Amino acid sequence: MFERILKQQIMNKVLYSLVPLMLFAIYLFGWRVLAVVAVANIFAYITEYLFIYKKKGGKVSMAAFVTATLVAMTLPPTIPLWISAVAAIISIAFGKMVFGGFGTNMFNPAILGRTFVYISFPNQMTISWIKPFTGFPGGFSFWSNSKAMETGATILNQQRMGVVGLHSLTDAFTGIVPGSLGETSALLIILSGLYLIFSKTAKWQPMLGTAASILIFNAIFYPASNPLYFLFSGGAMFGIVFMTTDPVSQPKGKISLWIYAVLIGFLTVFIRRFSLFAEGFMFALLLANSFMPLIDYGVESLSKTGAKK
Amino acid sequence: MTKKDIFIVSAFKENSVWRQILGICSALAVTNLMMNSLIMGLGVIFCLALSGFTISLIRAWIPRSVRMMVQTLIIAAYVIIVDIFLQANLPLISKQLGPYVGLIITNCILMGRAEAFASQNKPLDSLIDGVGAGAGYTLVLLVISFIRELFGFGSIFGIKIMGSWWTNWSIMVMAPSAFFILAMLIWIINVKFYKAKA
Amino acid sequence: MSDKSFKDTMLYPILFMLAACIVFVGVLAIMYRGSEAKIRAYKQDSYQKIVLSLLSEPLSQALSMKPFYLLQDYPNAYNTYITESSLPGLDRRVFYAKAEDTILGYCVDIGGKGLWGTMRALVAMSPDFKTIKGLAIYEQMETPGLGARIGEEWFLAQFNDIQVLKLDGNAGNYINDFEYIPEGQTASKPMQIQQITGATITSTSVTRMLKDELNLTYTAYLRQVQP
């Protein structure tokens, strides 16, 4: 299995699938988006290079660019560029290299970097959202739309404050809503997800499992609202397609994959509902990551005892 | 060993934190501000030195069967002295350190030095050993709190050194940051000074 | 019986432990006795200083002297103008400032639940308990750098001169709801308070504490005025 990943073919495909999302983000928020992504990539490259340049045959893997692009796509459009750099450095250094480099990391590096900056800089990460551009040519003719600030009001925040319906379900689905760079459009994310599945880049089980479990637990915790609304808002869709499918930090067995997916869904809704933070997906994923070896081990030993009988 | 050797060994070569991984809990708890760390470090130095000295002084008479109880008693007595002193004379710092001063009692370094050194060595040597171990501990606290205060508040010993452009890193104010800063510290020191033995 | 054999008996460790306990606990007891008065005096002083400073505004107006000089004159000013009393059926410490036979304001010791633990505060009220005149949080365990910022001057100053009493209040429901706006915005309505960024729960804990406790206080006050 690792044979294929090390050829980095897969990583190229993930990057291709991110291109439409990035273009859409530029359309919504202006060319500054590209700068955020570029800064993350440059610093990810430097960080990984510093870790491996002494080793024999040390080459920076494609995975570093995937991680950097993913982490940049989860940042809000107003993010200062240096925070983008910090996120990329933490992702690569603490998410991957300290565990021994590519293939041996326990946590999803991109989500780890995002969580670090989310906790460190709550102001920059959660307060200032900008209204997206609409019409033609949208953000393609602007650097950024910093005048149209919409303070503290993503869909999830509104939900917590009890203001529902400022953005409709269709808005959330097509993605003309304020939010982080890559997470706004559920439609494009689903298309990218389909591409990843059909090009055999990612497994479909974690995507479907997590999505289903988020829907189910939302229906339980918020019986009054439409669960699709929650699935399409916040970082959940983006995370489902690009983060849960990370081949390194997901469990290896088939059954454990399903358990992993359900666990992420449950924790996401649980954290969104009961904790201090509006977004629960990243914490859910990190928690599920840390249970991953245990799940794998448990399922394996259970099936062994089952076989003996 | 000369007195200087004793100090160097207990402060650096066999540093309680990075060599023996003792006293971690308080290293995580009080390191958000340098001033807190310094006071905590001074408290630990005081308790370590005097408890070591006292235990060593009466080591010939301590019955083996109750030696741990006696050590705990002596350590607790000195810790309470520090606590009372802070409450009476430095009430603001005492309030900030909160329960952590009392928790010096449970700091593994104190029992460790009492058991490993003071109960077998001369009083003066034990005193120096205690000061050394405490200094090593304080050094670690200060390094961690330097990073945490600089990033978390943009200041050092409460004096603002970063301008208004600086953004505080909230994570550095919270306890989890001490975990990975401590881990990195141990990592760097191990790589630099202790070549891994196969 | 030689010394050595005595050391080997069961009795020796027990006697040794006993003696050690007596010696060390004795030393501690003496030390504690010595500084006990100082510790208690400090605690009382800092508490009374908060009460005095919260009530200093109406006091200084009535006495036509600057609040600063009032605080400078601490033990005297406190003993002269401030009296501890109570309100019927309210088990909170209540203080009032009195000059020339007029009650100028009250100060109530209130408490509530924060994010990590309990917090305690002193709130100064106008003599008719309609308006908050000042707020000081003197005990809290919130997150340093985030929630702990409720102790900062700008946050507390927002509560000054807020009229909290509802015009159409009825039994047990006398106090208006507070409303939060993001940090840095200017309040456009009377009950609006700037929330501390990254500390939603702590901020709401403060207003919840104020609302609940002032409700109780006002109920008790009514009991006193119209028994």
Side-chain angles (χ1 to χ4, degrees), chain A residues 122-123 127 151 275-276, chain C residues 115 146 185 197-198 201:
Chain A
N123 285 2
I127 293 302
T151 44
S275 88
L276 272 168
Chain C
L115 177 61
L146 293 171
Q185 273 186 20
T197 305
I201 292 197

Side-chain angles (χ1 to χ4, degrees), chain C residues 55-95:
Chain C
L55 291 171
S56 64
E57 194 203 316
L59 260 179
S60 55
Q61 275 169 10
L63 300 166
S64 58
M65 75 197 267
K66 282 190 176 146
F68 176 76
Y69 294 113
L70 201 69
L71 293 177
Q72 280 278 298
D73 192 23
Y74 156 64
N76 271 330
Y78 183 89
N79 294 331
T80 322
Y81 302 115
I82 293 182
T83 321
E84 179 162 4
S85 76
S86 63
L87 288 172
L90 185 76
D91 60 341
R92 306 277 186 274
R93 293 180 79 175
V94 178
F95 304 83

Side-chain angles (χ1 to χ4, degrees), chain B residues 7 16-17 19 27 36 52-53 56 58 68 79 90 101 108 122-123 136 139 143 147 149 160 165-166 188 196:
Chain B
F7 181 84
S16 305
V17 182
R19 259 325 246 180
N36 289 359
F53 181 75
S56 168
I58 58 171
M68 293 275 209
V79 172
L90 300 165
V101 174
C108 334
K122 287 187 201 134
L139 179 74
V143 170
I147 300 172
E149 191 176 338
K160 264 253 178 287
W165 51 270
W166 177 252
I188 292 168

Side-chain angles (χ1 to χ4, degrees), chain B residues 47-62 67-76 78 110-111 113-123 126, chain C residues 16 24:
Chain B
C47 293
L48 261 171
L50 287 185
S51 67
F53 181 75
T54 316
I55 289 166
S56 168
L57 208 61
I58 58 171
R59 69 184 189 282
W61 295 283
I62 299 177
R67 68 178 198 290
M68 293 275 209
M69 284 158 72
V70 175
Q71 286 164 3
T72 316
L73 180 75
I74 292 169
I75 291 168
Y78 282 112
L110 282 111
M111 273 305 263
R113 294 326 292 169
E115 187 62 7
F117 198 93
S119 60
Q120 291 144 24
N121 288 284
K122 287 187 201 134
S126 304
Chain C
F16 184 89
F24 281 101

Side-chain angles (χ1 to χ4, degrees), chain A residues 14-51:
Chain A
V14 177
L15 281 181
Y16 300 150
S17 71
L18 281 166
V19 169
L21 284 175
M22 215 184 303
L23 288 175
F24 187 67
I26 296 170
Y27 168 74
L28 287 181
F29 306 117
W31 284 103
R32 196 173 179 280
V33 171
L34 205 62
V36 173
V37 176
V39 166
N41 273 298
I42 293 166
F43 279 91
Y45 180 85
I46 296 172
T47 313
E48 184 151 337
Y49 181 76
L50 286 179
F51 269 96

